[in-house]
Amino acid sequence: MGRREREAVAAGGRLCEAARAVVGDHGRAVEAVRAALQPIHDAAADQALDAIPVARLKEVTEGRLRLGEVESSGLRSVRQVLDAGSYRLRQIPGVGQRTADQVLAAARQISDAVGETITVHIDVDRPEPLTTSLVMALHVLVEAGPDARRAVDTAVALSERLGPLLAEAAPVAGRLRMLLVGQSKRAQALEAAAQVRGLTEEAAQGGVPELLAQASVDLLRGTSTEVAAWVDFELRSAEYYSLLAEISGRRPDTAAAEGFLPDEVAGRVRDQTLDDTYRRVSLRGYQAFGARFALAQRKVILGDEMGLGKTIQAIAALAHLAAEGQSHFMVVCPASVMINWTREIEARSKLRVAPLHGPDRHEAFADWKGRGGVGVTTFDSLRGFPAPGSGELGMLVVDEAHYVKNPKTRRSQVVTEWSGRCERVLFMTGTPMENRVAEFRSLVQILQPHVAGAVGDRNGVAGSTAFRKAVAPVYLRRNQQDVLTELPGLQHTDEWEELSASDEEAYREAVSAGNFMAMRRAAYARPEKSAKLNRLREIVEDAAENGMKVVVFSSFKDVLAAVKDTLDGARSPGGGQVFGPLSGSVPPARRQQLVDEFAAEPGHAVLVAQIESAGVGLNMQAASVVIICEPQIKPTIEHQAVARAHRMGQVRSVRVHRLLTMGAVDERMVKLLKNKTRLFDEYARHSAVAESTPDAVDVSDTAIARQIVEEEQARLGAVRSEAAGHP
């Protein structure tokens, strides 16, 4: 016993003190958020209680409560009853102590229920002192980032282990104390000192003292200015809301966050660990569950609705596997989103990323094989690479996996071959089924053939409930409304317009020619007299007056050109720049650059984009107005496009305007496409949720086009005949 033991205990004491300091600093930062949140929450609750009439108190007591005297006294709302309190209630003629107590008890029950449902929305366009205080308090924790959380977890574990050991080792601090304790106590103290030394040395080797020191600095740094905090909130609102939900305890419903999976599957997923060593971003609860689902179930489809962060969940799964020692991963995606994947992996993880596309892709592939990391390639480029050997690839991620739903295509066959060589495969798609259940079933077939075989016959015609239960082990889907309680509102408006005389003439020519695509864009064929373009210009002008950014979507390049020319011609000084058109012919790098320039433009701006090219992979949270120039044959294309703006990270309400013409192709398409939306809702929107079980239906694109053309030719032919017979 001597100096070595004393130095070990002293070093352990310093480490334990640093750990406790970090826990305390983090606790104070969290309490600052709670203190800033409380008055906002209370004000929202008071407003809600003000809107609930006194008569609703009867429902709490199943009608037993007599409220006539209370209502006649002038107390109109539940909040007024709570504010009145017992004394004032007892002053009302006919109300005694017992009635007053019952009324207040019922009011408090309603108040508690309201308090649990309140979701705080932070309005970036109307900052107030209370919300500014909340944003600044959250800013401290967001800036500290995942490393601070890791430091706190490490500090808690260290404190719990070091605290008792330091107490046992206390006698070694002085020779006299060691002489005064008994032999057994001396032995315990020496053993405890040895354990303290071991823990301290292990922590030093793992960089724990530096981690704790940096966390304390980050947590105590504070925010430079209110403006800096608000700017950061607008850029990273998803991280702010994630922390707010965690601290306030306002988490989404557990069953919804877990995709309504059966208990057996959900339990297995919950037991899956998730290492964050190689991750640079915090996860929301449902996102952590999604990453665990991919790891626990090994070969799955993540079918979350657009805007819920499927990319982040995939990166979290890759980071976990990297922490376990896996070195090689592959992401396959459309060319348009390669840059987005590269950026996200670099920003959200510590993993090396290697783009494998373009003329040098084979050299890049050889380098990736040697050095490891996350290879990011396209469906077409994947065909030129040799399939991996068994165990070579830690995980294969296929983004926009509905691109491989047709097993007859070459891209599907290549993805199937790679999937068969990998132990873990993650398919990502918010639209796994567009026309028929069999398409969804074909994706499951690639991943887990035994699950696909249990679904039903080769057409996949099974009831929706049975189908979702059967695919639960391989399919997880969550919807925005279930897990993003803070998401701003989404307002859909169908803008019905009458065809102008010029529009009508162009439309009749297209119908006579039997040209379905010309029928769909006839309303823009003569821009100077187009009813749709006139309405579009009005919507954009309204957005400009309010400083809002606008995205205009169409399937057709000539429609986009007409829109751009119209808006450029109508633009007043300061009216906002028009970006685009962004179409499939624009290189992927330039597409991302256009979106970045659109987002960076101060105030109002317009981005004109082809819906199939821009509706996939590009995030457009800067826009708060979306205009869709014509209905789409696949409703999922519209859903995807809208979700590019209305997604996690959006801080403003989103208004969607769909331009439609009456008595023509648009009206017929809207009616016929309702079946497609119903099919997706019943089979794929939820995972393993009990609902009704209608049979699957198939409405193919060709069938829709043929039916509409024939019906319009018959209608317009009949109109001409009637006109000819009645001069």
Side-chain angles (χ1 to χ4, degrees):
M1 184 208 78
R3 178 186 299 175
R4 188 168 179 234
E5 285 76 14
R6 288 195 296 275
E7 289 178 349
V9 171
R14 290 192 295 273
L15 182 61
C16 189
E17 184 179 343
R20 288 170 176 164
V22 167
V23 174
D25 294 339
H26 184 263
R28 283 184 286 276
V30 169
E31 284 306 313
V33 172
R34 289 193 176 118
L37 174 65
Q38 195 62 51
I40 301 173
H41 179 278
D42 291 347
D46 285 346
Q47 186 176 4
L49 291 170
D50 256 337
I52 301 175
V54 168
R56 296 293 299 275
L57 294 173
K58 288 182 180 178
E59 298 174 18
V60 180
T61 59
E62 299 179 352
R64 294 191 301 271
L65 195 60
R66 293 172 55 193
L67 295 169
E69 294 84 355
V70 176
E71 290 180 284
S72 62
S73 72
L75 297 178
R76 299 285 180 237
S77 70
V78 172
R79 183 190 173 190
Q80 289 178 335
V81 168
L82 289 167
D83 288 345
S86 177
Y87 177 77
R88 185 180 166 193
L89 287 174
R90 284 188 283 112
Q91 305 311 304
I92 300 171
V95 176
Q97 184 67 55
R98 181 181 178 188
T99 301
D101 290 345
Q102 289 176 334
V103 168
L104 284 174
R108 290 189 188 104
Q109 284 189 50
I110 291 178
S111 177
D112 291 343
V114 166
E116 291 176 0
T117 62
I118 293 296
T119 299
V120 171
H121 295 278
I122 300 172
D123 192 339
V124 71
D125 293 318
R126 286 183 286 276
E128 298 175 350
L130 288 178
T131 51
T132 297
S133 296
L134 177 59
V135 169
M136 292 184 73
L138 285 166
H139 179 76
V140 173
L141 290 166
V142 171
E143 275 289 279
D147 282 345
R149 172 52 59 84
R150 192 176 301 115
V152 171
D153 292 342
T154 302
V156 170
L158 266 177
S159 297
E160 290 176 350
R161 296 180 67 186
L162 279 174
L165 288 173
L166 287 169
E168 284 188 24
V172 306
R175 295 183 180 182
L176 181 59
R177 290 185 64 181
M178 283 293 280
L179 291 172
L180 293 176
V181 298
Q183 186 174 353
S184 64
K185 289 286 187 181
R186 280 199 296 272
Q188 287 179 11
L190 291 172
E191 174 60 26
Q195 291 186 47
V196 167
R197 182 171 57 251
L199 283 173
T200 306
E201 291 174 352
E202 181 184 341
Q205 291 171 3
V208 171
E210 294 81 7
L211 177 68
L212 299 180
Q214 186 61 55
S216 279
V217 170
D218 292 339
L219 290 167
L220 295 173
R221 181 182 291 123
T223 308
S224 55
T225 64
E226 294 178 2
V227 172
W230 275 110
V231 169
D232 192 59
F233 169 75
E234 188 163 359
L235 293 173
R236 296 192 285 176
S237 64
E239 293 179 49
Y240 280 75
Y241 275 121
S242 178
L243 273 169
L244 187 59
E246 180 181 333
I247 292 171
S248 66
R250 283 285 299 129
R251 299 169 185 259
D253 176 74
T254 300
E258 296 180 354
F260 302 97
L261 291 176
D263 290 342
E264 177 189 352
V265 178
R268 185 159 58 249
V269 174
R270 289 187 213 111
D271 292 339
Q272 169 68 48
T273 59
L274 190 62
D275 194 304
D276 64 355
T277 304
Y278 288 91
R279 184 165 24 97
R280 288 196 175 110
V281 65
S282 298
L283 301 179
R284 302 185 77 138
Y286 75 87
Q287 291 174 329
F289 186 86
R292 288 188 174 98
F293 178 78
L295 294 167
Q297 299 298 98
R298 294 185 173 267
K299 294 188 175 184
V300 299
I301 301 171
L302 181 59
D304 285 347
E305 190 172 9
M306 291 291 171
L308 293 184
K310 291 190 289 293
T311 302
I312 297 300
Q313 295 174 66
I315 291 172
L318 298 180
H320 172 89
L321 292 172
E324 288 192 337
Q326 296 286 346
S327 58
H328 290 71
F329 311 96
M330 181 68 77
V331 173
V332 186
C333 61
S336 60
V337 299
M338 271 195 66
I339 294 175
N340 186 62
W341 265 103
T342 302
R343 284 182 173 185
E344 289 292 289
I345 293 168
E346 289 175 339
R348 311 292 187 179
S349 77
K350 301 174 185 176
L351 303 176
R352 176 179 178 271
V353 60
L356 309 177
H357 186 53
D360 298 327
R361 60 186 179 277
H362 292 291
E363 290 82 355
F365 181 84
D367 181 66
W368 168 78
K369 285 275 286 185
R371 298 175 62 191
V374 185
V376 182
T377 192
T378 66
F379 290 100
D380 290 337
S381 294
L382 187 69
R383 293 165 54 182
F385 301 144
S390 178
E392 283 187 24
L393 206 61
M395 176 177 276
L396 171 68
V397 177
V398 181
D399 192 12
E400 305 295 345
H402 50 279
Y403 281 29
V404 299
K405 66 192 178 187
N406 183 353
K408 296 180 181 179
T409 62
R410 179 63 180 147
R411 69 167 53 147
S412 176
Q413 292 165 4
V414 172
V415 168
T416 300
E417 181 184 7
W418 275 66
S419 298
R421 302 284 188 92
C422 300
E423 291 186 9
R424 285 187 170 89
V425 182
L426 174 59
F427 280 8
M428 296 165 47
T429 171
T431 55
M433 177 180 60
E434 292 175 327
N435 292 325
R436 53 177 73 85
V437 174
E439 294 176 353
F440 190 3
R441 187 172 176 268
S442 70
L443 296 181
V444 179
Q445 177 70 34
I446 297 174
L447 299 173
Q448 297 191 28
H450 65 284
V451 174
V455 170
D457 61 25
R458 62 185 179 87
N459 293 319
V461 181
S464 58
T465 300
F467 183 86
R468 288 197 302 270
K469 285 183 178 178
V471 300
V474 71
Y475 178 63
L476 175 66
R477 179 178 175 92
R478 282 76 57 88
N479 299 310
Q480 284 186 354
Q481 64 185 21
D482 294 326
V483 295
L484 288 190
T485 55
E486 81 283 351
L487 199 65
L490 178 64
Q491 177 185 339
H492 282 273
T493 303
D494 280 348
E495 304 278 356
W496 289 98
E497 302 295 324
E498 295 235 8
L499 289 169
S500 67
S502 181
D503 295 336
E504 179 75 28
E505 186 177 351
Y507 182 68
R508 285 178 176 273
E509 290 174 2
V511 173
S512 296
N515 189 331
F516 179 62
M517 294 304 176
M519 289 164 59
R520 291 181 63 199
R521 60 184 190 270
Y524 301 93
R526 298 165 188 183
E528 65 282 355
K529 296 180 180 179
S530 166
K532 278 192 176 183
L533 277 176
N534 185 54
R535 179 58 185 143
L536 183 147
R537 187 168 49 245
E538 292 173 353
I539 295 169
V540 171
E541 288 172 354
D542 179 66
E545 290 178 4
N546 292 283
M548 297 177 177
K549 285 186 168 63
V550 182
V551 175
V552 180
F553 286 120
S554 174
S555 285
F556 305 106
K557 291 182 180 179
D558 53 353
V559 171
L560 296 176
V563 169
K564 183 170 172 58
D565 290 344
T566 297
L567 295 179
D568 280 338
R571 187 160 38 128
S572 59
Q577 185 171 345
V578 181
F579 294 87
L582 192 162
S583 66
S585 59
V586 177
R590 178 56 183 154
R591 294 184 212 175
Q592 185 65 55
Q593 185 182 359
L594 278 170
V595 173
D596 292 344
E597 291 172 355
F598 167 69
E601 182 76 5
H604 170 69
V606 180
L607 175 64
V608 180
Q610 195 169 22
I611 197 165
E612 290 88 347
S613 302
V616 175
L618 299 174
N619 301 332
M620 303 172 180
Q621 292 100 317
S624 48
V625 176
V626 176
I627 301 174
I628 300 175
C629 290
E630 70 283 322
Q632 303 303 304
I633 292 179
K634 296 177 180 178
T636 50
I637 291 178
E638 286 188 22
H639 297 161
Q640 281 182 311
V642 171
R644 291 296 152 204
H646 192 248
R647 63 191 293 113
M648 185 171 58
Q650 174 61 267
V651 294
R652 295 176 176 86
S653 296
V654 176
R655 289 162 33 199
V656 180
H657 301 266
R658 185 166 61 160
L659 304 181
L660 304 167
T661 49
M662 294 186 292
V665 62
D666 291 356
E667 192 168 1
R668 292 195 180 276
M669 284 184 67
V670 168
K671 290 178 180 177
L672 285 171
L673 293 174
K674 284 183 179 179
N675 275 338
K676 282 195 172 187
T677 301
R678 178 181 67 84
L679 179 67
F680 181 81
D681 286 346
E682 289 166 354
Y683 282 81
R685 186 167 295 280
H686 301 286
S687 39
V689 181
E691 286 184 1
S692 58
T693 57
D695 288 340
V697 294
D698 172 21
V699 185
S700 68
D701 303 344
T702 304
I704 286 178
R706 186 183 304 113
Q707 180 179 347
I708 290 175
V709 169
E710 291 173 353
E711 289 178 355
E712 284 298 278
Q713 287 180 334
R715 181 180 69 84
L716 293 179
V719 170
R720 284 196 297 271
S721 298
E722 289 175 7
H726 299 82

